[in-house]
Amino acid sequence: QVRVVESGGGSVRTGDSLSVSCVFSPSTYKTPCMGWFRQAPGKEREWVASIGDNDKTMYADSVKGRFSISRDNTGRTLSLQMNSLKPEDTGMYYCAQRAASYCVHPRRNRYEYDFWGQGTQVTVSS
């Protein structure tokens, strides 16, 4: 079983930057599909960004150009750098990993992910 620990998040103002990270252990898979999702109160969990083989990335239109997903060389630590934050970015942010060693195409469907972090709150006030 993979253990996932998230960190980061917090409360900021519009236009500020923030980052969230998570660590997956053990590092069982070589370059698995990894992603970030978020959930606002009363709303469905939505996809934010994904990363796959050769660090190929994909972003939701709502965050493109403002957010950046990355992972370290070990593939254990996944990060999301969030710039120019807006109130609509507020929500609980979750990291996720798919149980497969390779990821030719980054995934945006939450049901394709197997391991999830506990979530970390990001609040953006105007």
Side-chain angles (χ1 to χ4, degrees), residues 55-89:
D55 288 341
K56 180 179 179 180
T57 57
M58 289 175 55
Y59 297 93
D61 288 343
S62 59
V63 306
K64 200 172 294 182
R66 300 187 297 121
F67 289 15
S68 178
I69 186 173
S70 63
R71 59 184 165 195
D72 69 358
N73 290 336
T74 69
R76 292 182 62 223
T77 302
L78 181 70
S79 300
L80 184 69
Q81 175 66 40
M82 302 177 286
N83 300 324
S84 303
L85 282 161
K86 305 175 181 180
E88 50 263 45
D89 294 318

Side-chain angles (χ1 to χ4, degrees), residues 23-101:
V23 178
F24 296 84
S25 59
S27 181
T28 305
Y29 307 101
K30 282 187 174 290
T31 54
C33 291
M34 304 171 89
W36 286 98
F37 294 76
R38 67 187 180 189
Q39 189 167 16
K43 292 190 175 182
E44 291 284 316
R45 188 171 300 188
E46 66 173 357
W47 169 70
V48 174
S50 300
I51 189 167
D53 288 355
N54 300 312
D55 288 341
K56 180 179 179 180
T57 57
M58 289 175 55
Y59 297 93
D61 288 343
S62 59
V63 306
K64 200 172 294 182
R66 300 187 297 121
F67 289 15
S68 178
I69 186 173
S70 63
R71 59 184 165 195
D72 69 358
N73 290 336
T74 69
R76 292 182 62 223
T77 302
L78 181 70
S79 300
L80 184 69
Q81 175 66 40
M82 302 177 286
N83 300 324
S84 303
L85 282 161
K86 305 175 181 180
E88 50 263 45
D89 294 318
T90 294
M92 190 72 79
Y93 281 68
Y94 299 90
C95 61
Q97 181 184 95
R98 179 174 165 85
S101 289

Side-chain angles (χ1 to χ4, degrees), residues 96-118:
Q97 181 184 95
R98 179 174 165 85
S101 289
Y102 298 97
C103 181
V104 175
H105 302 292
R107 310 299 175 99
R108 65 178 70 188
N109 186 333
R110 61 179 175 167
Y111 298 107
E112 296 187 271
Y113 288 86
D114 301 286
F115 307 113
W116 291 84
Q118 78 278 13

